[in-house]
Amino acid sequence: KNGNEVAKPGALEEAVASLLENLLNGLRNLLGLYSMNELVLNEGIRGSKAWYYGTLPMSWEKNVMQYHLIFQALAWSLIVFAIIKALIQRNLATINPSMRVSLIEQIKDLLLTGVMLAFILPVIDLFLMLNNKLVDLFGAVAVDLDDLSGLNNYTNLLAGILLQFFYLFISIYLNFVYIIRSITVAMLTAMAPLFVVTLAFGGRWKGLFGQ
């Protein structure tokens, strides 16, 4: 913060630094980037009720829930199909002991799938809440990340402005990462029933749920 007292900038350096600082401020304003504290520590608007545990905008939640309910209905339809298939196999189970064992395993999978479908939303909500609490915990002892990217800490120093461009690229990268995270969480929440229902079909389908 007091670097300009150690390194005395010349008039040319001050002029170039001022020009680059204006350019930097303009870029940040035009790009509309979230600050590092907002992204990493859920401060500002991302820590408000406008965001769902800091992971995705509340404006997305309605659409996510609508698609989740659609996939829930589809998943339960697949379970009904699996039950019908199991009943058909039951007719053959009396003459095939190995199929009887397979039928018992399938019934266990169906019960597990039904329970998980019923509780998948509360489980997702619990994970997001725990994530939010961990962010709050680490945020309480973390350094102020915005100090790293402050635009007024290196007045008149060309080297300081170059560092600010470096942190600008970090900020752009982090904004991209958190946009992808929001999209991923939204998609996984919406499509969770389809991944859960794969448990009911055993074999290689279970691998899809694990992945």
Side-chain angles (χ1 to χ4, degrees):
K1 292 181 179 181
N2 61 351
N4 60 333
E5 297 175 9
V6 178
K8 302 295 184 182
L12 178 60
E13 182 177 359
E14 288 184 357
V16 174
S18 177
L19 178 65
L20 290 176
E21 184 172 354
N22 290 333
L23 174 62
L24 186 62
N25 282 327
L27 282 173
R28 290 178 66 90
N29 290 332
L30 287 173
L31 291 173
L33 302 174
Y34 289 106
S35 71
M36 290 189 185
N37 278 356
E38 286 179 310
L39 291 170
V40 181
L41 304 179
N42 283 345
E43 293 186 359
I45 191 173
R46 295 179 72 97
S48 70
K49 292 183 178 180
W51 279 71
Y52 193 67
Y53 289 124
T55 53
L56 61 146
M58 289 299 294
S59 57
W60 293 16
E61 191 202 11
K62 184 177 180 181
N63 289 330
V64 169
M65 288 302 302
Q66 286 177 344
Y67 281 106
H68 179 89
L69 292 176
I70 291 171
F71 287 123
Q72 274 274 9
L74 180 59
W76 284 106
S77 299
L78 290 173
I79 286 182
V80 170
F81 169 77
I83 291 173
I84 293 172
K85 179 184 175 184
L87 290 175
I88 294 174
Q89 288 180 333
R90 174 67 182 85
N91 293 329
L92 304 175
T94 53
I95 57 173
N96 191 334
S98 64
M99 188 168 288
R100 184 182 294 112
V101 173
S102 175
L103 181 62
I104 293 172
E105 289 297 318
Q106 189 173 6
I107 291 173
K108 289 180 181 178
D109 289 341
L110 286 170
L111 289 174
L112 176 62
T113 304
V115 171
M116 289 193 68
L117 279 176
F119 288 99
I120 189 64
L121 269 183
V123 168
I124 291 173
D125 195 68
L126 175 64
F127 279 126
L128 292 178
M129 183 268 290
L130 289 175
N131 175 76
N132 194 52
K133 294 296 183 183
L134 281 173
V135 170
D136 289 342
L137 176 65
F138 285 107
V141 296
V143 298
D144 187 351
L145 297 174
D146 286 343
D147 272 353
L148 300 175
S149 55
L151 300 182
N152 300 314
N153 295 342
Y154 305 99
T155 307
N156 299 329
L157 284 178
L158 183 58
I161 297 299
L162 292 178
L163 279 176
Q164 296 315 297
F165 272 101
F166 173 72
Y167 283 115
L168 174 64
F169 291 131
I170 292 178
S171 182
I172 293 172
Y173 170 75
L174 284 177
N175 273 266
F176 175 77
V177 167
Y178 278 81
I179 288 171
I180 296 301
R181 185 186 75 154
S182 295
I183 294 172
T184 303
V185 170
M187 290 181 63
L188 288 176
T189 302
M191 299 181 66
L194 284 187
F195 298 127
V196 171
V197 81
T198 58
L199 289 172
F201 296 95
R204 57 191 178 89
W205 292 102
K206 286 185 178 180
L208 180 60
F209 172 77
Q211 292 173 15

